[in-house]
Amino acid sequence: MIYNREVLRLLSTSSLKKYLNSSGALQRELLAEADRVRKKAVGANVYFRGIVEFSNICEKNCYYCGIRKGNKAVRRYRMSFEEINECLKFIERVRYGSVVLQSGETTFHAAQDFLLQIVRHIHKRYPAMGVTLSCGELSFDQMKELKEAGAHRYLLRIETSVPRLYRLLHPRDHSIARRKQCLKDLRVLGYQVGSGIMIGLPGQTDDDLIADLRYFQKNDFDMFGLGPYVIHDQTPLVTPNVRAWWNDRREEIFQKTLNFIAILRILMPTCNIAAATALEVFHRTGRVEALKAGANVIMPVVTPRAYRHDYLLYQGKPCIDEDATKCSGCIVGKVRAAGLVPALGIQGNSLHFIQRTKG
Ligand code: 5AD
Ligand code: SF4
C-alpha cells in the first residue's frame, strides 16, 4: 500500500520492481496515487505543445530508429521557413501555447543557421509562445546561441542511462558520456531540461529502468518525454526473433510505461511529463491513459500531412493521415475525457524549473 510519496521515495529496489510490474488492484492504487500527487503538486491542467517535425535528416544511426541515416528507404525532407510559419500560425490559432521544433540531428552550419532563424522569428512574431527544441546533441556554443535567440526548453532523451544497454542500441561512435554532458550543458545554459527513455527495449531489465529513475532524480530534470519502444522493420534492431518477442510483450510494455510514468510523477511531483504519442500504437486511448497515470503535457503533431509519412521513427504511428485541425478538436476532447483541464493559451512551464531557479 502506498500512503504518500515520502514512502515511495524511500522504497527499495524490490518495491519499485513490484510497482513497475503491477497490474490489477495494486496498479490501480499506484495510478490513483500518482493522480493525487499530480493534482496536489501541479493541479489538473494539461499543457499543449504543437510539435513540428521540421526535418527528418539525421547524422546518426541509432539501431532502433526509422529515420536513422542508414535507412536509405526514407525520403528526406526539410520544411521551408514558410511551411514552418504556417504551423506556427496554426498553433497560435488553436492556442496550444508552445511549439516543439523537432528534427533529426544535424550539426552542420546551414542547419544551425536555419534553426536560429526560426527561433528568432518565433521570438519576434509569437512572443507569447513557449519554444522547445528537440534536435539532438548540439555543441555548447550552438545550444547557447539558440538559447539567446529565444529557445527556453530542450528535450534530449538519454534513451537509457545504462552504458551496457546504450552500447547495444547505438553504433560505437555514439557516446552516452557525450549525451549526459549535453544534458548538463543545457542546465548550465539555463534551459528547462527534459530527458526520457524508451521502455520495452530488447535487453532492458527492470534494474535498468530503476537505474533510469535514479538517474532522473540525480540530474534533477524539469521535464520528461518517455514512451514505449516500438519496432520498425527497416532498422537493424528488428530481427525476426525480436519482432516475435516484441509482439508477445505488447501489453506488458504498454502497462509498464504507464506504471513508470506514475512512479516518476510520485518521485518528482512538480515536473512536466508528456504523454507519448507512441502509446497510441498499442491502444487508441494510450495518451489518455498516460494522462490519467500522471502525465500533464500532450504534444499534438502539427507537421503538414505531406511530411507525416516520412517522419516515422517507429511503425504504426497514429494520425499520419489526419490533418492538424482534426487532431486539435480530438485531443482537447481526450483531455476532458480524462477528467483533466485543457490549459489552452498558456505556456505551461515546468513548476520544477520555476522553483529551482527562483530567488
Ligand atoms: N520506438 C519508440 N521511440 C523511438 N524513438 C526513436 N525510435 C523509436 C522507436 N523505434 C524516440 C527516441 C528519440 C525520440 C525522438 O523518438 O526516444 O529520442
Ligand atoms: Fe537520429 Fe534521433 Fe533517430 Fe537517433 S533517434 S537516428 S538521433 S532521429
Side-chain angles (χ1 to χ4, degrees):
M1 172 77 107
I2 304 170
Y3 291 101
N4 61 46
R5 68 188 166 83
E6 292 310 318
V7 176
L8 197 54
R9 209 186 287 281
L10 299 172
L11 276 180
S12 62
T13 298
S14 65
S15 313
L16 280 175
K17 272 188 201 167
K18 190 177 76 182
Y19 286 113
L20 204 49
N21 292 300
S22 63
S23 60
L26 189 64
Q27 184 184 35
R28 279 196 294 279
E29 206 179 296
L30 170 68
L31 303 190
E33 174 67 7
D35 189 40
R36 262 194 302 278
V37 169
R38 170 255 302 284
K39 286 190 175 132
K40 194 160 161 227
V42 291
N45 276 353
V46 172
Y47 304 115
F48 291 76
R49 285 92 175 83
I51 176 161
V52 186
E53 297 149 332
F54 67 93
S55 167
N56 66 357
I57 300 167
C58 187
E59 293 165 4
K60 287 240 169 124
N61 246 326
C62 308
Y63 295 149
Y64 43 84
C65 175
I67 64 166
R68 61 199 298 274
K69 183 181 177 189
N71 185 0
K72 302 298 177 204
V74 174
R75 193 175 58 135
R76 302 288 164 174
Y77 71 86
R78 200 188 72 195
M79 284 169 61
S80 68
F81 182 91
E82 289 71 28
E83 286 170 325
I84 296 172
N85 193 43
E86 286 306 309
C87 295
L88 298 169
K89 275 193 212 160
F90 175 81
I91 291 171
E92 189 177 56
R93 181 161 66 77
V94 299
R95 304 176 64 236
Y96 280 159
S98 296
V99 61
V100 177
L101 296 169
Q102 189 175 77
S103 67
E105 190 172 304
T106 46
T107 53
F108 55 90
H109 273 295
Q112 176 70 10
D113 282 350
F114 181 71
L115 187 54
L116 268 172
Q117 190 195 344
I118 299 295
V119 172
R120 289 195 182 115
H121 172 72
I122 299 171
H123 196 56
K124 194 163 152 216
R125 292 290 160 83
Y126 306 90
M129 198 178 282
V131 185
T132 308
L133 300 180
S134 173
C135 305
E137 296 163 26
L138 301 176
S139 72
F140 186 89
D141 289 343
Q142 287 174 325
M143 297 186 298
K144 183 164 183 280
E145 248 185 329
L146 289 160
K147 178 78 178 38
E148 284 161 3
H152 60 124
R153 307 183 189 125
Y154 206 106
L155 278 176
L156 183 68
R157 288 186 178 181
I158 190 69
E159 317 295 0
T160 170
S161 67
V162 179
R164 167 193 56 77
L165 185 56
Y166 194 90
R167 260 297 121 258
L168 293 176
L169 301 170
H170 301 92
R172 282 262 148 223
D173 61 349
H174 295 30
S175 155
I176 192 171
R178 158 100 184 95
R179 206 162 179 88
K180 288 182 174 172
Q181 186 58 46
C182 252
L183 284 158
K184 292 205 167 105
D185 291 346
L186 287 164
R187 185 174 167 115
V188 169
L189 287 167
Y191 279 96
Q192 284 175 58
V193 185
S195 197
I197 54 162
M198 284 175 285
I199 294 169
L201 291 160
Q204 188 179 48
T205 64
D206 287 346
D207 285 321
D208 295 338
L209 291 172
I210 290 162
D212 292 333
L213 286 166
R214 308 273 189 232
Y215 170 76
F216 290 167
Q217 281 187 295
K218 187 158 163 250
N219 285 272
D220 199 31
F221 294 122
D222 306 301
M223 330 183 279
F224 294 96
L226 52 95
Y229 164 65
V230 180
I231 53 171
H232 188 302
D233 280 341
Q234 291 159 359
T235 58
L237 205 57
V238 181
T239 59
N241 277 346
V242 165
R243 188 181 303 111
W245 168 86
W246 187 86
N247 274 315
D248 282 348
R249 294 183 70 229
R250 285 177 72 108
E251 191 56 24
E252 184 189 329
I253 293 171
F254 179 79
Q255 297 301 337
K256 205 173 243 191
T257 306
L258 296 183
N259 291 347
F260 190 97
I261 290 173
I263 294 171
L264 185 59
R265 169 59 68 200
I266 296 166
L267 292 176
M268 300 184 73
T270 53
C271 288
N272 278 348
I273 304 177
T277 310
L279 284 165
E280 300 206 355
V281 172
F282 300 77
H283 293 288
R284 280 173 60 92
T285 55
R287 280 182 295 183
V288 174
E289 301 296 323
L291 292 174
K292 287 185 185 160
N296 68 330
V297 169
I298 198 155
M299 306 195 341
V301 177
V302 302
T303 311
R305 227 160 70 174
Y307 296 117
R308 290 188 182 201
H309 281 270
D310 301 319
Y311 203 87
L312 299 182
L313 309 182
Y314 51 84
Q315 258 162 236
K317 188 173 173 187
C319 307
I320 52 175
D321 291 314
E322 309 294 345
D323 65 45
T325 317
K326 189 158 170 241
C327 288
S328 150
C330 163
I331 282 172
V332 171
K334 282 183 173 182
V335 171
R336 290 211 176 92
L340 297 164
V341 180
L344 292 167
I346 54 172
Q347 286 193 3
N349 291 303
S350 158
L351 181 58
H352 183 269
F353 173 83
I354 295 167
Q355 289 178 343
R356 82 170 166 83
T357 51
K358 83 168 171 233

